[in-house]
Amino acid sequence: MSSDASSVTGTPPATSPVSPGTPTSPGSLDLPRCRHRSQGHVRDRSPSPMRGYLIPSPLPTRRTRTCSATARAAEGPAFTGVCKCFSRSKGHGFITPSDGGSDIFVHISDIEGEYVPVEGDEVTYKLCSIPPKHEKVQAVEVTITHLASGTKHETWSGTVLSS
């Protein structure tokens, strides 16, 4: 009679006081090998879509900005500058202030109007501090005032326009 037959009949198979399959410590566990590793090659796991996004971004977007920060930005003065660069796929860019100084970060959610900014566009903007230390600023309420001549401009819907 095999052990399979004994489990069907309800009689337990004869075992020793400590079963040979019972681990005595976590290190003695004999884990099954992965199928792809036993074939002699190592396959990379596909990355998790959440990898790299576990820590929330410290940059306040229009969605996550508090009402008080929005009110402070709206009450502040408007500045002018020129778009240094903007990447629609990355969702951000930089503005060079017309009065000089260091470049100012701009998030895609803070662009007003129907056109995607390109290098050379003249813009107006207001400033909002970036938490947690509020030492840096970013441009908000960014509006293109003059499209750069000789460049192709794209609307947010994807239509390309030559100027």
Side-chain angles (χ1 to χ4, degrees):
M1 182 184 273
S2 70
S3 62
D4 293 335
S6 64
S7 63
V8 173
T9 59
T11 59
T15 59
S16 60
V18 176
S19 174
T22 304
T24 56
S25 69
S28 67
L29 290 174
D30 185 27
L31 299 175
R33 295 186 147 242
C34 294
R35 183 178 60 212
H36 62 272
R37 289 183 190 237
S38 63
Q39 295 173 351
H41 67 279
V42 177
R43 185 179 73 189
D44 291 332
R45 291 176 46 200
S46 60
S48 167
M50 294 305 293
R51 186 173 299 182
Y53 296 101
L54 297 178
I55 299 173
S57 172
L59 297 174
T61 63
R62 178 176 287 179
R63 287 180 140 183
T64 60
R65 194 173 297 125
T66 62
C67 292
S68 59
T70 303
R72 282 194 306 271
E75 292 170 0
F79 298 93
T80 59
V82 177
C83 180
K84 179 179 180 180
C85 62
F86 188 82
S87 172
R88 184 174 182 173
S89 61
K90 292 181 180 178
H92 70 272
F94 292 92
I95 296 172
T96 302
S98 58
D99 62 355
S102 59
D103 294 340
I104 299 169
F105 175 84
V106 60
H107 190 265
I108 194 169
S109 66
D110 293 311
I111 306 292
E112 306 284 337
E114 81 179 283
Y115 294 106
V116 178
V118 297
E119 182 179 350
D121 285 348
E122 295 177 15
V123 296
T124 60
Y125 59 93
K126 295 186 178 185
L127 294 177
C128 181
S129 61
I130 300 174
K133 295 183 180 179
H134 298 284
E135 294 173 349
K136 296 181 181 181
V137 293
Q138 77 179 55
V140 296
E141 298 181 22
V142 178
T143 307
I144 299 174
T145 56
H146 188 299
L147 298 175
S149 60
T151 60
K152 292 183 179 180
H153 283 80
E154 183 181 7
T155 62
W156 294 108
S157 62
T159 306
V160 177
L161 181 71
S162 295
S163 61

